[in-house]
Amino acid sequence: MSGFDLIIQPDVEEPEAAEILVDGTVGGRPYRFLLDTGAARSSILLDDYTAGFESLGKHSSSGVFAAGSRDLIRVPVIALGPITRRDFTLTRIAEKGSEMRNLIGMDLLKDHCLHFFFDENRVAVDPEVEVGHPFQDLFLDQKFHPYVEVQFGGRKASAVWDTGAGITIVDLGLIEQNPAFFQEAGRSAGTDSTGATNETPMYLMSSAVTGRQAFPAHRVAGVDLSHLNPEAPVDLILGYNTMRQANWWFDFPGKRWGITKMLEG
């Protein structure tokens, strides 16, 4: 099966949270990346190799807590398993800090069908279509962020499926409007894609249904997400602690998705 492995790095402070890392190469040199379907552009940290590339301009991006601006560079080749792109543009991260990561974003993933096997910590790239599986329509915004629908009783909510999020984040407005599905569960510190950190209230989310599957109760962070994307409002950001409970199929070019298996524990 052609694909790549997922390296799960648990969060030391939040037991259910984790980073999803992958090993790839840039210019034939090995790099470890955060796999981030919530990032429009792939990024690489400033080092002795990447410092040699001339800046092509600036790229601005927004995280959950803050915005940032970084250099654009063009590298000769980038590879992740069987996915290879030449003369590829990356953003170069010059900021320092243990929270900063190389990122694989949707600019590298959007042209492929990916089957995420969280029971095997592996992703199949462009596998054969599973005949007869009830796939659902996938919405991709202009930056190719993937959106799925989540239901709470009769309330439908829009969620970004974000492998770069260690834990699921829910808009505080959605929580306030649907208190029966969210029980207060303390506070925790979180870090977004720009490196900004903030303390957030935590909740136990119950009775969420997505991909025609009901998910057991699990912890989520409550954050104001109303500013994130005027084009496509974000009610939730589905992170690792939700997605690890199932295997997921995403056909990005075909704009369809589905859950292929619910996992125990």
Side-chain angles (χ1 to χ4, degrees):
M1 180 174 59
S2 181
F4 53 87
D5 293 330
L6 302 177
I7 302 156
I8 306 302
Q9 184 170 298
D11 189 298
V12 295
E13 296 182 358
E14 188 63 42
E16 294 184 10
E19 289 185 325
I20 302 175
L21 307 177
V22 294
D23 285 334
T25 60
V26 175
R29 292 164 173 80
Y31 284 91
R32 180 158 288 183
F33 298 86
L34 178 70
L35 187 67
D36 193 354
T37 56
R41 279 191 176 273
S42 299
S43 303
I44 195 162
L45 295 169
L46 178 68
D47 62 16
D48 291 343
Y49 175 61
T50 61
F53 293 97
E54 180 183 358
S55 174
L56 304 175
K58 293 288 186 179
H59 171 71
S60 298
S61 63
S62 297
V64 172
F65 304 129
S69 178
R70 293 161 180 166
D71 285 331
L72 293 170
I73 61 172
R74 183 173 292 118
V75 297
V77 62
I78 185 172
L80 172 63
I83 301 174
T84 301
R85 294 282 297 275
R86 297 189 179 277
D87 296 323
F88 192 74
T89 301
L90 296 170
T91 60
R92 182 172 55 199
I93 303 170
E95 300 97 311
K96 302 294 183 181
S98 60
E99 74 282 351
M100 305 311 295
R101 295 283 187 271
N102 302 313
L103 303 178
I104 292 291
M106 285 303 297
D107 51 352
L108 192 69
L109 303 176
K110 63 182 176 62
D111 297 322
H112 297 276
C113 177
L114 304 178
H115 195 173
F116 291 79
F117 293 94
F118 282 103
D119 53 352
E120 301 176 12
N121 288 336
R122 184 161 177 81
V123 176
V125 177
D126 298 325
E128 292 185 8
V129 176
E130 294 199 353
V131 178
H133 189 82
F135 291 110
Q136 300 185 55
D137 291 339
L138 175 66
F139 174 72
L140 299 171
D141 66 14
Q142 292 183 354
K143 295 182 178 180
F144 297 97
H145 298 122
Y147 284 72
V148 301
E149 186 178 274
V150 180
Q151 287 187 276
F152 299 95
R155 170 72 156 86
K156 294 181 179 180
S158 180
V160 176
W161 198 83
D162 184 0
T163 57
I167 195 167
T168 290
I169 301 170
V170 183
D171 181 60
L172 288 171
L174 179 68
I175 293 173
E176 292 171 0
Q177 295 165 17
N178 300 272
F181 300 98
F182 299 94
Q183 179 183 344
E184 293 184 6
R187 301 184 71 85
S188 181
T191 303
D192 70 9
S193 60
T194 69
T197 300
N198 201 3
E199 187 179 69
T200 61
M202 302 296 293
Y203 298 86
L204 190 66
M205 180 176 75
S206 60
S207 303
V209 175
T210 187
R212 302 190 177 103
Q213 300 289 339
F215 281 70
H218 55 286
R219 278 164 61 86
V220 299
V223 176
D224 179 10
L225 302 178
S226 60
H227 65 287
L228 276 190
N229 191 351
E231 176 197 351
V234 180
D235 297 313
L236 301 91
I237 298 174
L238 290 190
Y240 172 75
N241 69 320
T242 297
M243 58 183 62
R244 71 183 177 118
Q245 301 179 49
N247 290 340
W248 309 70
W249 177 291
F250 281 89
D251 178 359
F252 294 123
K255 295 184 178 180
R256 57 182 182 166
W257 74 284
I259 290 175
T260 56
K261 181 182 180 181
M262 290 298 293
L263 307 178
E264 295 182 3

